[in-house]
Each structure stands twice: as structure tokens, then as C-alpha cells.
Amino acid sequence: MDGRHRPSLSDNENDFALGLIHETVHLEKENTANPAIFQERLAEELRAWRKVDLNVVRELRRLNQPMNPRLIEADDALRSCSDKAECEALREILFPTETTR
């Protein structure tokens, strides 16, 4: 391979890889959130989603790689907030999932 062409992965492979990256972000030294406290858990999820989005999801979208529609929805939400850390549109996407944990 000459480095200019990347193999296309399936939706499931991309989603699995993105899930692993997301969980790895939670293991970073800067994560001090207590998962038992809802507001801290939600803030940590917003941080992790934003970091994965800006560093990985955007590149996969640029390459037209398939992925879960929720990841695309989250990316669109962040874009609507100019990629700011405090993004109400992303919070609205994540809030229902986090309240059921």
C-alpha cells in the first residue's frame, strides 16, 4: 500500500474501534469524574465524546467511512456549537442515555 489509499472498514469495525477509543479516553489521567454522580458522569461523557469526535470521527467522515448514525448526529451537534466543550446540542443527545445508567 502506498499510504494514499486506506482500506474501507465496515460499520461494525469502525463502531467497535470508536467504542474502544472512547473508553480509552475515559482512562486518561485527567478523568476525575465520579460515575456515581450524574452531573460528573454526564460532563465526563461530553468530554470523551467531544475528544473522540474531534480526533477520530471527523477524519472518518472526511474519508466517507461508514459509522453509527449516532456518531454522525453527535458530530453534527458539535459542529453546530462551533466545537465548544459546553455544547447543549450534544448534551441533549447524550442526556437520555446517561439518565438510564
Side-chain angles (χ1 to χ4, degrees), residues 20 28 34 41-42 44 55 57 60 65 76 86 100:
L20 285 176
E28 291 178 327
N34 180 343
R41 185 173 69 244
L42 182 57
E44 170 57 15
N55 292 297
V57 171
L60 291 177
Q65 289 286 312
D76 290 342
E86 290 297 320
T100 60

Side-chain angles (χ1 to χ4, degrees), residues 55-75:
N55 292 297
V56 185
V57 171
R58 294 268 169 93
E59 179 65 10
L60 291 177
R61 283 188 82 179
R62 190 184 69 74
L63 296 170
N64 295 316
Q65 289 286 312
M67 69 184 80
N68 185 300
R70 188 167 189 227
L71 295 165
I72 294 169
E73 181 183 17
D75 182 43

Side-chain angles (χ1 to χ4, degrees), residues 71-90:
L71 295 165
I72 294 169
E73 181 183 17
D75 182 43
D76 290 342
L78 271 170
R79 287 174 191 259
S80 77
C81 296
S82 301
D83 297 331
K84 293 180 182 161
E86 290 297 320
C87 180
E88 188 59 34
L90 181 58

Side-chain angles (χ1 to χ4, degrees), residues 23 43 45 56 63 91 98:
E23 294 308 318
E45 282 301 319
V56 185
L63 296 170
R91 182 182 302 274
E98 291 306 310

